[in-house]
Each structure stands twice: as structure tokens, then as C-alpha cells.
């Protein structure tokens, strides 16, 4: 739904940033799967990093450039 559409729009917007190769975000284990389905991979995990029961999960994804015509 809306979360996917908004996230993909933001990711499309960063393709215009010169020399940007990767996008990094922090989330919790509750939304980790959502970002995995959008191509992000876990690069760091801190158990209870936000608060007890909420891990801090750092995820990254390569910026996919649109080919130039």
C-alpha cells in the first residue's frame, strides 16, 4: 500500500544525488521484513537498541540508477 509507494518514491528521488551509492536506514525488527522486500539487507543489529524489546536494525540498499537514454 501507501508505505511501499512512499518508500519507492523516496528511493527513486535519491537516484538524482550524484555519487550516492547506498541508502542506509535504521528500523526495528517489526518492520525489517518490509524493507527486505524492497531490497534492503541487514548490516547491523543491536538487541534492545531502541528500548527493551525493540532492536535497532540498520539496513542498506544500493542506489539503482536509471539508465541514461
Amino acid at each position: 500500500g501507501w508505505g511501499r509507494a512512499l518508500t519507492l518514491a523516496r528511493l527513486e528521488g535519491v537516484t538524482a544525488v550524484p555519487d550516492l551509492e547506498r541508502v542506509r536506514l535504521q528500523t526495528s525488527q517489526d518492520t525489517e521484513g518490509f524493507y527486505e522486500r524492497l531490497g534492503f539487507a541487514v548490516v547491523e543489529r543491536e538487541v534492545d537498541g531502541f528500548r527493551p524489546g525493540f532492536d535497532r536494525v540498520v539496513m542498506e540498499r544500493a542506489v539503482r540508477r536509471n539508465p541514461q537514454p
Side-chain angles (χ1 to χ4, degrees):
W2 285 104
R4 179 180 174 80
L6 291 169
T7 302
L8 290 175
R10 288 184 192 112
L11 289 170
E12 184 178 323
V14 301
T15 62
V17 179
D19 301 324
L20 182 68
E21 295 179 5
R22 303 195 71 69
V23 175
R24 179 179 273 223
L25 60 83
Q26 295 183 71
T27 190
S28 73
Q29 74 274 17
D30 292 342
T31 55
E32 175 181 346
F34 169 80
Y35 289 108
E36 282 180 333
R37 290 187 295 277
L38 294 176
F40 285 85
V42 175
V43 295
E44 184 181 332
R45 181 184 308 275
E46 180 184 356
V47 175
D48 297 334
F50 287 126
R51 67 175 193 229
F54 285 92
D55 300 347
R56 184 178 71 90
V57 181
V58 180
M59 304 182 81
E60 284 187 352
R61 174 185 150 160
V63 172
R64 297 184 183 136
R65 303 276 180 211
N66 296 325
Q68 298 299 319

